[in-house]
Structure formats: C-alpha cells, structure tokens
Amino acid sequence: MKTKNVRELALDILLQIEKNQAYSNLLLNQKVNEANLNRKDIGLLTEIVYGTIQRKNTLDFYLEPFIKKQKKIETWVIVLLRLSCYQMVFLDRVPSHAVINEAVEIAKKQSHKGISGMVNGVLRNLQRNDLRNLDEVTNQEERLAIELSHPTWLIKRWLNQFGEEVTREMCQVNLKPPQVTVRVNQMKANVDEMLTILSEEGLEVERGDLSEDAIKVITGNVPNTKSFQDGFITIQDESSMLVSRALGPRPSEIVLDSCAAPGGKSTHIAEMMEGSGNVVSIDLHDHKVKLIGKAAERLKLENIETKAIDSRKLHEIYEKETFDRILIDAPCSGFGVIRRKPDIKWAKKEQDINNLASIQRKIIDAVAPLLKKGGTLVYSTCTLDKEENENIVEAFLNNSNEFTLDDTLMERMPEKLSDIVKNNKGMIQLLPHYFQTDGFFIACLKKK
C-alpha cells in the first residue's frame, strides 16, 4: 500500500478530530509511529495539525468569502482548505504554489475532478487577494474570537472574569507551541548533574524558570534518551510540578492522590518522600490506572499503590482521618493546557463547566473527611475558570468549620510567584502568559 505524505496524514488526523472528537496529541503520536516519519516530516505534520486546529476560527474567516457561493461542501474538503490556508498564511517556508498543487492532488485522489477544481479555485483566489480585514466584524467579542481563534462563548467568559488585556494575552499564548520541560528524579540525580548528562545525550537544555526540579528542553527527543528510559527524568510542565510542592509530602507519610492518572504528580510525591511511606493513587478508569503503574515502574518507585475507583466512593474502603495529606487534582475543562491540546477549546461547551463543577464539589466533599486532623489538602486543576477553581474552594470552606486556607503555601512556592499570591495566601491562579507554562490553579487547605 502506498505511503501517505505529510499533508494526507494531516488531513486524516484533522478529519478524525473534527468527526469523532479524537484527542489531537494521542492521535498525532499514533500516526507518527505508524507512518515511521523522519524528524523533519514529524515537525511539519505537527505544525500543520496543531496550527490548523489552533487557528480554525481565523482560517474559516479568511476562507468564507471564497466558498460562500458553493453548495453543500463535504467536511473533508473544508478541512483540506483549512490546512492549506494555514500553510499559505502562517508558514513562511512553504511556497503557496506548492501548497495549492498538493491540495489539488489530494482532492483528486479523494474525489472527482469537480472537487479538485473547486479546491484549486478557492486557494488561488486566496493567493491572489488580500486577506479579509477583521474590522468588518463590529461586535468586539466576535472580533476577538476570530482574531485570537477561540470560541465566542469562551471569550465572553474570560472577558467577564479577566478583562480584555489578560484575555488577549492568554489567547495569544495559547496559539504558540508549548515548552517541553522535564522533572528530575532527585532520588537519582540533581538538576546540575542532569543538565550535563542530557547535553551529553544530544539534547539542548537549560534550567527551568519556576520549579526547582525542572529542566527546559530546547531541542531533542526526550523519550528516546537513556535518562528517560532509566527513570532519571519525567516529562511534566513546570506549573504541574508546583502542585506536589504545594502539598509538601514528607518521608514515611500516607498520602492520597485521589484523581491521579496518568501519574505525574503521584510519582513526584513518591520521589519527594524518598521512596518511603505510601502514596495511594486513585483514578476512575482501569486503563488510566495502568499508566500510573507504568510510570512508577520506569522510575523504580515502590511506594505507590494504585486503585481504580470513583473518588466519591473512597469512604467505602477508607476510614475517616486515614491520610496525612490529600491531593485532589480534579477533572476539569482543561483550558490551561490549550497549547498542548488545542482541540479542547472547540470540543468543550459552556455547560461542561457547570457539569464539571458539580463533580468537583462532590469529590472534595467526599474526600476531605479522609484527611487526618492537622493534615494538608491541595485542590488543583489545569483550568482557568473561577467556577471550577475559587468558587469550588470557597463553597467548600463556607460549608466546613474544619478547614482553612493554608497561609504557609508561599513558603513552598518559588519567589517569582509572590506577587500572584500576595492577596490570597492559600490560592494561586497561574495564568499561561505569566511564565509561558500551562495554566494551573492551586489551593492549599489545612484541617484543624
């Protein structure tokens, strides 16, 4: 069977995301492995897939004048036009005539001559004419949604919660490729040692900006390194590393990670406990729990115990006041990780936030009684919406006389965050444009 080229693969991936709401990162990894692409083609495929998803609103705005007279257009044709438009408008290194020729050839393979002629006509019109001006859109929210390529309902929400300047900054960061960072397993090496070792393995690396465990990877493939395979490092965003720091686990303690998959924070906690004590890592789905086990095995961590169970039912198997510390990294809308999973912003609906907030409230209410008196509970999410973050914590505190915000949180956080937490000592909302990390919310509570 003839091997597909990069743009055909991109079309396949984007179509599956469009039709089946497949996850872009998982699907891209699967296709890359199946196609056995070289490094250059992997880079181009990743750029086209992520760029086309990220800029979908803007691309549709540019294409709309040239396709509005067409009768019903099949989804694959729209997706082909989008990925071609993305290359013509946003990529300097690909000549427009090459993009158009490639798109026409793909259209010929997929359908009849009429469709390939239409694709050719639309893209040549795009090439010959100036790009459509955003000033045509008079409504501010709609104009921002097109310019910054985010759903209008999400733009409205963020404008209400953060104002235009911050909304614009967050959206602009969401359109950029994410930084790759790794966490050093400090049971095996320190950051300075790993900077040297990773450089010797051919990676270009530098010290992280926020977390004391972090190394930024400028170039190089982390999973292929011996350091990764031997458990010296774990791929994790710096903001995510701060969550385990906020929890502050100590050797020999019993710690619950109640929504743990795929295990990045569980393994970090286990490393901070120097392999002693017990980290109970819970997740709802058995296949996700297996990922935690694999991560623990790679890192040679024997103090992690995994279970597949709904966190809201943990009271059925654990006595009250069993754990010294509890982490609730709650299921959330994920709007802090749009750079890594751009399909999130198109797949989620506003009602999802309300539904998730209901689940989050039930989890914190169910898990909190399992904490010992004097213990620490951290509630975190990788999203930005107040309804899933501050509102959840404040509602919980209003209904509980046993818990208070932990004003020692800052002692465990990097100095660079001091301005962010100065007005709210037990809670941090890390927005993605502050340090070019994922967006994260962290609240630290103490049980009296």
Side-chain angles (χ1 to χ4, degrees), residues 219-232:
T219 59
N221 188 318
V222 175
N224 288 347
T225 62
K226 190 168 187 303
S227 296
F228 178 81
Q229 289 157 8
D230 289 348
F232 281 76

Side-chain angles (χ1 to χ4, degrees), residues 7 83-85 87-88 94-104 123:
R7 291 171 181 85
L83 73 88
S84 303
C85 180
Q87 295 170 79
M88 292 167 71
V94 186
S96 290
H97 66 82
V99 174
I100 296 171
N101 289 342
E102 187 91 50
V104 170
L123 295 179

